Amino acid sequence: MRKTQTQMYKYMRKRSFKWDEWTPKRLEKFTRDIIWTKFLTNNLKLKPYIIKTMIYNITFLIKLELGDKILLNRGIKKGGREASKIIYNLIRPELKQADVFTLREIKKVILWLFTKNDKHKIAALALSICFLSGARTGDLLNTWWETTRVSNNEGDIYWHSEIRCGKNNKIPEKREQLTIRCVGKSTDQFKYIWNWYTKYCQTNKIDKGKLFKTNTTNNLTYYFKKASKRLGLTRVITGHSGRNSTLTRLFKAEINDTNINLFMRWNKDSNMLYRYRNTLLETSNVAPAYKLREFDETLFRKKKL
């Protein structure tokens, strides 16, 4: 209380006015400013009860000096609301997630890209790999011809490519690879484009070293975004869209967590699975909210709830 009183006296002296010259506008600005100053001097952390205490102290001091003034109290509360809103928007956790697309939507994008020049076709291949293997676009820059294979496992055809370097240019502690089972209509585009790409690289004698001859993901995502815009999509395909979309399909297919961790190349104690479940499935038909309501409705129908 004493600290708030000192701040109010200092504020009045600096602006040369007295207690009876407080207006709702002045109190609104003063309240907003001292809450903001408290936030800045407290390592950008401020608990709600502190804001309420500061508003209470200002209101009490005004009432003590001037009596109970409704308009002045409104100014204080308005300043507190404005400060709280700014602080909340600054410190609330942001859910920055790439948009999710179905394979049917992506097949249209891949088809459009493949009708253009070679750079577009290479982007189409990268997009196909990301959406079938759960790779980020950055992962593709660390794949090499020497460790990319197409193998036959008891009649099943698999495409797999080892990732030599993980995120942040760290050499992975365990072997990691992208894996695609090449079967059915969901992979027909990929098989066709992969065959084109191998012939293209052999013809141009670039079938050694890195699988994709680029040093930045922007050279691929540029074409993803270009295709999104040209096809009139309301969402934008980014470097993480393939991962998010693949994970959503894995969750909906009800693959167990152990196998998802293995497929996504995560450690068994990683929190990535929890984070993605939390942000990708809240309104899906495999989320707890959906399952709970289905259970409740079943009991209602049976008159047991």
Side-chain angles (χ1 to χ4, degrees), residues 264-281:
M264 298 306 299
R265 306 167 303 282
W266 293 331
N267 293 326
K268 62 181 180 180
D269 58 346
S270 171
N271 66 352
M272 295 298 288
L273 189 62
Y274 172 80
R275 288 175 58 188
Y276 276 101
R277 277 191 185 278
N278 186 44
T279 54
L280 293 175
L281 295 179

Side-chain angles (χ1 to χ4, degrees), residues 171-235:
I171 298 174
E173 296 177 359
K174 60 185 186 303
R175 290 187 65 176
E176 298 181 0
Q177 73 175 33
L178 306 174
T179 308
I180 300 172
R181 183 187 176 215
C182 303
V183 62
K185 292 183 178 181
S186 60
T187 59
D188 54 2
Q189 278 185 331
F190 166 71
K191 289 182 286 186
Y192 184 83
I193 299 172
W194 175 251
N195 288 334
W196 169 83
Y197 188 60
T198 53
K199 292 175 184 176
Y200 169 82
C201 291
Q202 288 167 2
T203 302
N204 292 280
K205 298 181 179 179
I206 53 172
D207 56 341
K208 291 183 180 179
K210 285 191 172 184
L211 199 60
F212 291 90
K213 310 297 183 184
T214 177
N215 294 319
T216 171
T217 58
N218 292 337
N219 290 336
L220 295 172
T221 56
Y222 165 79
Y223 295 102
F224 300 169
K225 294 172 183 177
K226 179 181 177 180
S228 303
K229 187 175 181 180
R230 292 292 178 86
L231 292 172
L233 299 179
T234 56
R235 294 155 293 151

Side-chain angles (χ1 to χ4, degrees), residues 96-151:
K96 293 183 177 179
Q97 286 291 331
D99 289 320
V100 172
F101 297 82
T102 64
L103 282 184
R104 192 175 295 278
E105 289 175 311
I106 289 303
K107 288 187 81 170
K108 292 178 182 177
V109 177
I110 293 170
L111 180 61
W112 184 88
L113 286 169
F114 199 71
T115 59
K116 307 302 177 184
N117 62 31
D118 291 344
K119 289 183 178 180
H120 287 76
K121 290 177 180 177
I122 293 169
L125 175 63
L127 189 61
S128 185
I129 293 173
C130 288
F131 272 81
L132 293 174
S133 70
R136 298 162 298 189
T137 309
D139 293 331
L140 304 184
L141 305 190
N142 295 308
T143 53
W144 293 62
W145 279 102
E146 289 78 3
T147 49
T148 299
R149 298 282 185 274
V150 176
S151 60

Side-chain angles (χ1 to χ4, degrees), residues 108 164 243:
K108 292 178 182 177
R164 289 197 178 185
R243 165 168 285 195

